[in-house]
Amino acid sequence: MLAVLGFLVGEKVEGSSFLFDASIKGPAITHLTQVPEGFWAILLITIGAAEQFRAEKGWVDPSEVPVDQPGLLKSDYVPGDIGFDPLGLKPEDPEEFMIMQTKELQNG
């Protein structure tokens, strides 16, 4: 939903953006093709690194998994909990954590 706002507002701030030296111009529908190629490489590497970290944290190494159980999760892994909580918002009590996790899943 926020992308719609960016799409509609993007043409109004043309030339005044700090991103990409304000070199992206024209109709919003063409902005994606004007982004420098180096940005996409950095974005791809960043997303790949985050996904690799998540996979190593949550899944058993494929060489150690029985053939009949592909994609086996580690026993101590809770989906969505990769240990990143810089603001300390994760409840210590397991009951409260489950309530918060359910609220997150239900957007609310």
Side-chain angles (χ1 to χ4, degrees), residues 2-103:
L2 191 56
V4 172
L5 178 64
F7 187 86
L8 296 174
V9 174
E11 293 182 24
K12 296 294 181 191
V13 296
E14 184 175 318
S16 64
S17 175
F18 63 91
L19 295 172
F20 310 116
D21 295 328
S23 64
I24 297 180
K25 303 189 181 320
I29 197 74
T30 65
H31 288 180
L32 192 60
T33 60
Q34 296 178 46
V35 175
E37 293 175 11
F39 172 78
W40 297 118
I42 292 169
L43 183 64
L44 180 67
I45 291 168
T46 303
I47 292 172
E51 289 296 325
Q52 180 69 29
F53 174 76
R54 185 180 64 87
E56 289 176 1
K57 179 97 172 147
W59 279 264
V60 177
D61 187 354
S63 65
E64 301 170 6
V65 175
V67 176
D68 62 337
Q69 294 181 321
L72 185 64
L73 291 175
K74 292 182 178 177
S75 60
D76 62 339
Y77 176 67
V78 177
D81 183 15
I82 58 172
F84 181 74
D85 188 21
L87 299 177
L89 299 175
K90 179 183 172 186
E92 297 295 325
D93 181 34
E95 176 88 19
E96 289 182 32
F97 176 72
M98 294 303 287
I99 291 170
M100 180 180 266
Q101 187 180 39
T102 302
K103 287 179 181 179

